[in-house]
Amino acid sequence: MPAHAQFRTERLLLRRFRDADRAAYAALNQDPVVMEHFQGLQSTEVSNAFIDKIEAHWDANGWGLWAIEVPGVAPFVGFAGLWPATQVLGWDAVEIGWRLSRDHWGHGYATEAAREALSFGFRELQLPEITSFTVPQNIRSRAVMERIGLVHDPDGEFDHPRVDPVAYPHLVRHVLYRLDRATWESHQAAAAR
Ligand SMILES: CC(C)(COP(=O)(O)OP(=O)(O)OC[C@H]1O[C@@H](n2cnc3c(N)ncnc32)[C@H](O)[C@@H]1OP(=O)(O)O)[C@@H](O)C(=O)NCCC(=O)NCCS
């Protein structure tokens, strides 16, 4: 495991996935509320395959999506972190993303994890920019993007290339949010003053 793959924040442990997380991850992907803005529920096989992909990505690249543990509360509440977005956006891009089980919404956990992911991406990986995107109606996800300082790019709206437009026409259009490293650094400097 890369040394920097695990972080403690005020309330969270951001860590690599363990096999013990698999059942809870599969369960959240079976919750219609969690999956409202996705193309249907995800089977245990699909959930397991994504964990395998996340872990392989960490091994190959030293960055990726963390499993979120809330010590003293729950061993696994969901994931957050960075993920390649080049194939979706069509340029060399990294996205920040999150998915939490319904029981653990409304506590600021996604925002807390996402702030750490931004810091990791800009400070350690020296990424020039971090993006995020979702369907316009995913208000909760957009709220996280805005809380952590990403800015809506009205010219960046796009049709997601992996969404089936026949089965899920309402999930095709996506809004794009962006934050570049210089702006993030200036926010950090202002917050420290
Ligand atoms: C997107 C998602 C992660 C957001 O979860 P969330 O709990 O709303 O977001 P946060 O963790 O930032 O929590 C914010 C809420 O916690 C509250 N909160 C409570 N204690 C808090 C604390 N100590 N610090 C910060 N916020 C706190 C905030 O007031 C806010 O409440 P509100 O939504 O009623 O205004 C969640 O809705 C989800 O998993 N959705 C399904 C998957 C998904 O759509 N992912 C995105 C795909 S692009």
Side-chain angles (χ1 to χ4, degrees):
M1 174 192 293
H4 50 247
Q6 184 161 306
F7 283 101
R8 266 311 297 248
T9 65
E10 193 183 334
R11 296 176 296 171
L12 311 176
L13 174 62
L14 306 176
R15 56 164 175 77
R16 298 283 294 263
F17 274 80
R18 299 180 185 138
D19 279 342
D21 303 328
R22 287 177 185 267
Y25 181 59
L28 80 83
N29 286 329
Q30 286 286 315
D31 179 342
V33 177
V34 172
M35 300 307 281
E36 179 185 357
H37 305 296
F38 295 86
Q39 299 178 84
L41 306 180
Q42 290 179 354
S43 67
T44 299
E45 291 69 32
V46 169
S47 296
N48 279 331
F50 192 53
I51 291 178
D52 294 343
K53 200 170 166 183
I54 290 170
E55 289 307 294
H57 190 271
W58 271 112
D59 288 337
N61 302 284
W63 58 275
L65 295 168
W66 289 290
I68 305 174
E69 180 172 335
V70 190
V73 176
F76 176 82
V77 302
F79 72 68
L82 303 172
W83 197 242
T86 302
Q87 285 180 7
V88 172
L89 293 177
W91 75 86
D92 189 14
V94 170
E95 71 166 306
I96 186 166
W98 33 73
R99 192 183 306 172
L100 266 59
S101 88
R102 180 70 190 90
D103 292 346
H104 299 286
W105 293 9
H107 297 280
Y109 295 151
T111 295
E112 189 169 322
R115 288 204 171 106
E116 192 67 30
L118 277 188
S119 172
F120 177 64
F122 286 134
R123 244 195 266 276
E124 296 207 27
L125 304 177
Q126 289 285 301
L127 296 172
E129 181 182 62
I130 293 175
T131 65
S132 197
F133 43 86
T134 188
V135 293
Q137 59 271 28
N138 193 346
I139 300 299
R140 280 188 168 269
S141 193
R142 295 181 69 166
V144 178
M145 295 173 196
E146 287 167 13
R147 272 194 289 273
I148 64 173
L150 271 70
V151 177
H152 179 217
D153 174 2
D155 297 328
E157 290 199 9
F158 66 100
D159 291 345
H160 198 297
R162 294 192 192 132
V163 174
D164 177 346
V166 177
Y168 300 98
H170 61 296
L171 300 180
V172 171
R173 202 69 182 154
H174 274 58
V175 287
L176 178 70
Y177 283 69
R178 327 170 65 144
L179 179 64
D180 63 70
R181 189 170 71 237
T183 305
W184 178 82
E185 285 169 348
S186 70
H187 291 169
Q188 295 302 110
R193 277 200 288 272

